[in-house]
Amino acid sequence: MSGLILPPGQGRKLITKAQEVTFKATEADGSSVSIFEVVVPPGFDVGAHVHGEAQEFFYVLEGELELLAFEPTKRTAENWHEWESPEGDRMVRATPGASMFVPPNTPHAFRNASTEPVRMLFQCLPSPVHELYFEEIAKIWSSGARVDPDAVQEMRRRYDVHQITPLRYEPPPAPADRPAAAAGA
């Protein structure tokens, strides 16, 4: 049996307009934990959700993410940004070196509210649930057609992603000081 060594930037990549995922260790490598490097673009909000079986670990490498991992006193369907736990916990602004562990059945979310991409290390147990999920959602986002939110919701259900608030990707507007001709380039 051999281990797996990947130089920086290496691994199988899935790149879409909404995320860039690099597979670092997968079931195909003999790993029971799926490990990914994820680039989260500005304006991406995964929405609050829960997994019945999976447990996850997030580690911020570069940038700033808003993170949440608790059952709120009151769930709201539109967004999770103001949720509060019975102990008074709220969303956390996580910078490089911050991490979040999420056991099964725990509502959690992340959002890039900044204007810069964020890089994070993401692990999910058991493998290969999120591997298959990332592959399928990459196909949906890359289809070029309008993304059907009902199709995304059904796909997420199949992968043990029980959505509480909507997944959103609303890129920030282009800088106003860019010339109009360059904006579409």
Side-chain angles (χ1 to χ4, degrees):
M1 183 72 141
S2 296
L4 176 65
I5 299 172
L6 295 175
Q10 296 299 301
R12 187 167 64 89
K13 292 186 186 300
L14 293 174
I15 301 173
T16 71
K17 65 181 181 180
Q19 279 185 324
E20 178 181 318
V21 177
T22 304
F23 291 59
K24 296 298 188 176
T26 65
E27 183 181 60
D29 302 313
S31 182
S32 59
V33 177
S34 299
I35 304 172
F36 314 93
E37 183 177 321
V38 179
V39 176
V40 182
F44 184 83
D45 181 342
V46 74
H49 60 282
V50 66
H51 307 287
E53 303 288 325
Q55 57 181 310
E56 299 176 327
F57 178 78
F58 302 81
Y59 186 88
V60 179
L61 298 167
E62 293 176 2
E64 180 179 287
L65 281 177
E66 295 177 345
L67 302 175
L68 174 135
F70 57 77
E71 181 65 58
T73 54
K74 180 182 176 192
R75 289 185 181 187
T76 54
E78 186 56 29
N79 74 57
W80 54 271
H81 310 143
E82 302 300 321
W83 284 9
E84 187 172 337
S85 77
E87 297 78 27
D89 296 329
R90 298 181 68 88
M91 173 265 303
V92 171
R93 293 188 193 282
T95 56
S99 64
M100 174 172 75
F101 171 69
V102 183
N105 298 306
T106 302
H108 59 288
F110 66 84
R111 173 173 77 151
N112 181 355
S114 78
T115 59
E116 299 296 323
V118 175
R119 275 187 341 111
M120 72 173 170
L121 185 68
F122 170 63
Q123 298 180 9
C124 182
L125 176 75
S127 189
V129 173
H130 272 59
E131 296 165 33
L132 300 171
Y133 168 82
F134 280 133
E135 289 170 353
E136 190 168 336
I137 201 159
K139 288 178 188 172
I140 290 171
W141 281 331
S142 298
S143 70
R146 182 183 168 280
V147 174
D148 176 3
D150 293 333
V152 172
Q153 183 73 356
E154 175 53 33
M155 186 238 11
R156 289 173 67 96
R157 268 193 285 264
R158 283 188 279 114
Y159 291 107
D160 189 30
V161 180
H162 306 281
Q163 206 68 33
I164 302 168
T165 67
L167 178 147
R168 291 188 171 97
Y169 177 48
E170 300 165 355
D177 57 348
R178 285 178 47 189

